[in-house]
């Protein structure tokens, strides 16, 4: 069974540009999460989808971040316009409806804003 | 608010030594889950263990063991006879227990473990 996949693995963009990160959860996992780790700090929650609905978006830093999960499958996280402080590693995780407390993480997307 | 503290930023041991990674947490929830994840050089976070707050039994899985002490709000992780493949960043995490509802994880800052020959 394929794990959580994320694309791209790395992205380098200039301040003011737009970037879209994609996450494909494990098949059958209704719950999908986005997290972010800024260099040297803790991994912080951004938001949580249940199928296509946003269950909790309390961690989204500001309105430059937009997450979608159309059709309840893959999810995208768009940053527009990107700022220097958005640099970090963005992780996606998913969990099965029968094992909701076990989140399986992808390898992350390293975003560098210059 | 929830908080997880991993005071050890980096630990270096020689292979076959035992090593304990500390985790201290804060929460106002009466029931919650505690987790440990491993992040190898490949980058993904690998789930190691989940522990319920109402189950204080220690757990052993091969060379790994976990010591949960509610009285001190700690959930420490010990690797016995460490190996080079154990080199990774280890994260402790916490989430509230909400019946039937998944919830976000609150992570510590991680402990980088370096095991050398």
């Amino acid at each position: 069974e394929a794990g959580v996949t994320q694309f791209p693995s790395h992205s380098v963009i200039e301040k003011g540009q737009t970037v879209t990160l994609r996450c494909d959860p494990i098949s059958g996992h209704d719950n999908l999460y986005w997290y972010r780790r800024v260099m040297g700090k803790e991994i912080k929650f951004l938001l949580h989808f249940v199928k296509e609905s946003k269950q909790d978006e309390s961690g989204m830093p500001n309105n430059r971040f937009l997450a979608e999960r159309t059709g309840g499958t893959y999810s995208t996280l768009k940053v527009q316009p990107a700022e220097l402080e958005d640099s970090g590693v963005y992780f996606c995780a998913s969990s099965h409806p029968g094992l909701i407390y076990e989140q399986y993480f992808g390898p992350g997307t390293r975003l560098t804003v210059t | 608010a929830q908080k997880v503290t991993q005071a050890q930023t980096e630990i270096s041991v020689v292979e076959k030594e035992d090593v304990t990674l500390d985790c201290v947490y804060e929460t106002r929830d009466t029931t919650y889950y505690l987790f440990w994840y491993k992040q190898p050089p490949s980058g993904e976070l690998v789930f190691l263990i989940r522990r319920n707050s109402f189950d204080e039994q220690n757990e052993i899985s091969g060379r790994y063991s976990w010591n949960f002490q509610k009285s001190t709000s700690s959930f420490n992780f010990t690797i016995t006879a460490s190996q080079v493949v154990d080199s990774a960043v280890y994260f402790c995490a916490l989430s509230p227990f909400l019946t039937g509802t998944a919830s976000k994880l609150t992570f510590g800052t991680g402990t980088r473990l370096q095991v050398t020959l």
Side-chain angles (χ1 to χ4, degrees), chain A residues 4-6 89-92 105-110, chain B residues 39 42-45:
Chain A
V4 176
T5 57
Q6 293 185 245
V89 180
Y90 290 77
F91 291 100
C92 176
F105 282 76
T109 293
R110 182 174 296 278
Chain B
Q39 186 185 34
S42 52
E44 78 279 13
L45 289 162

Side-chain angles (χ1 to χ4, degrees), chain B:
Chain B
Q2 302 196 322
K3 184 178 179 182
V4 175
T5 301
Q6 294 181 257
Q8 303 151 310
T9 306
E10 193 159 343
I11 301 175
S12 189
V13 299
V14 176
E15 202 176 39
K16 296 183 185 173
E17 285 185 0
D18 298 346
V19 59
T20 295
L21 310 181
D22 297 332
C23 173
V24 174
Y25 62 92
E26 296 174 31
T27 181
R28 292 188 181 138
D29 296 310
T30 53
T31 53
Y32 46 89
Y33 283 111
L34 293 160
F35 303 80
W36 276 94
Y37 281 84
K38 173 182 180 180
Q39 186 185 34
S42 52
E44 78 279 13
L45 289 162
V46 178
F47 170 84
L48 295 178
I49 188 171
R50 170 173 56 92
R51 169 63 66 201
N52 303 331
S53 57
F54 41 86
D55 178 5
E56 288 195 67
Q57 275 197 336
N58 291 329
E59 184 155 340
I60 298 174
S61 176
R63 296 185 297 107
Y64 295 172
S65 62
W66 291 270
N67 184 322
F68 175 33
Q69 295 209 348
K70 211 167 178 178
S71 59
T72 56
S73 297
S74 65
F75 185 45
N76 296 337
F77 172 30
T78 297
I79 301 174
T80 303
S82 60
Q83 299 176 1
V84 172
V85 293
D86 295 327
S87 297
V89 180
Y90 291 86
F91 291 93
C92 181
L94 169 69
S95 80
F97 176 82
L98 302 171
T99 304
T101 304
S103 187
K104 62 188 178 186
L105 297 172
T106 297
F107 283 89
T109 50
T111 297
R112 180 177 296 278
L113 174 65
Q114 185 72 39
V115 182
T116 56
L117 294 171

